[in-house]
Amino acid sequence: MAVSVPLFPNITFDPQTGAILGAGVVENERRMGQLAPIFRDRAAARALPPDRLVYRFHCWFPVAENTPGGLFWGSTRIEPGMAGDEYFMTRGHFHARRHCGEFYFTVAGSGALVLMDEDRNTRYEPMSPQSIHYVPGGVAHRVANTGTEPLIFLACWPSEAGHDYESIEARGFSARMRQVDGRPTLVGEEPR
Ligand code: S6P
Ligand code: ZN
């Protein structure tokens, strides 16, 4: 049986801006107005302009969501900045299908990939240009920009993965990337 092979011409990545360009690429952005609740010091976050850009990400979906065996490709650019002593960061998520992993590749800037398993054990991997990271299945992931330049990274994940943001909204991560004595430090959450 003949299999039709779809062609995806001219999908490109701009390492200067962090954008993926091409037909069908979806762009999303997250600004402080909507992100303030994820930060520990919400008053400091709310004191920042609500239209302050925190991060922008592009996703290329060459196949439909939930296609078995398919792959998605994305790029994320996190602006430098802080809310209180906490670095600008992504919302973070588990994959809805917990067994699905993901690759990250750092293009520019410096940051921290914060990883938390379902027992809430949290660690982080430093991100710097050309570092490659594997997010195992069942591990929530969030990225913080711990530098003074934009942090740009690429990602590849299964089209079956889906995203579970609700679990993170409900309980957060058990530790946060905060500036302590001038250095990025993973600090465990104390009960509020
Ligand atoms: C998708 C992958 C990334 C993030 C992006 C934004 O599985 O991990 O493309 O979607 O970095 O982060 P978040 O947590 O807002 O989706
Ligand atoms: Zn992911």
Side-chain angles (χ1 to χ4, degrees):
M1 191 176 81
V3 177
S4 73
V5 181
L7 297 174
F8 303 103
N10 299 326
I11 306 289
T12 59
F13 168 67
D14 180 344
Q16 304 304 319
T17 64
I20 299 172
L21 307 167
V25 174
V26 176
E27 178 181 325
N28 297 284
E29 58 182 34
R30 301 283 179 254
R31 294 181 183 269
M32 189 48 81
Q34 66 186 128
L35 277 187
I38 74 172
F39 291 96
R40 178 175 175 276
D41 185 344
R42 290 181 193 170
R46 291 205 177 98
L48 295 169
D51 64 350
R52 173 92 176 262
L53 180 66
V54 179
Y55 64 100
R56 182 173 278 137
F57 59 109
H58 291 76
C59 298
W60 176 33
F61 305 112
V63 294
E65 193 134 5
N66 291 323
T67 300
L71 295 169
F72 292 155
W73 184 257
S75 67
T76 304
R77 172 187 167 126
I78 308 176
E79 301 303 318
M82 305 196 76
D85 65 4
E86 192 171 11
Y87 299 95
F88 278 12
M89 61 182 175
T90 59
R91 290 168 73 192
H93 56 267
F94 286 98
H95 290 155
R97 291 205 170 82
R98 289 292 196 267
H99 61 279
C100 291
E102 182 163 6
F103 279 119
Y104 278 4
F105 171 77
T106 313
V107 175
S110 55
L113 169 58
V114 181
L115 300 163
M116 181 180 75
D117 68 21
E118 299 231 56
D119 294 327
R120 301 184 59 75
N121 301 303
T122 303
R123 64 182 180 86
Y124 81 96
E125 295 181 3
M127 298 172 73
S128 58
Q130 300 172 23
S131 67
I132 303 174
H133 307 269
Y134 181 65
V135 179
V139 172
H141 39 291
R142 155 181 284 170
V143 174
N145 182 349
T146 57
T148 54
E149 305 294 325
L151 172 65
I152 298 173
F153 61 94
L154 297 170
C156 181
W157 68 101
S159 46
E160 296 159 277
H163 292 90
D164 169 13
Y165 292 102
E166 293 74 19
S167 296
I168 299 303
E169 268 159 32
R171 294 191 68 196
F173 280 65
S174 63
R176 296 171 175 277
M177 287 308 299
R178 294 166 59 184
Q179 192 176 63
V180 179
D181 297 332
R183 282 200 299 274
T185 308
L186 187 69
V187 182
E189 280 282 85
E190 69 272 24
R192 286 192 190 231

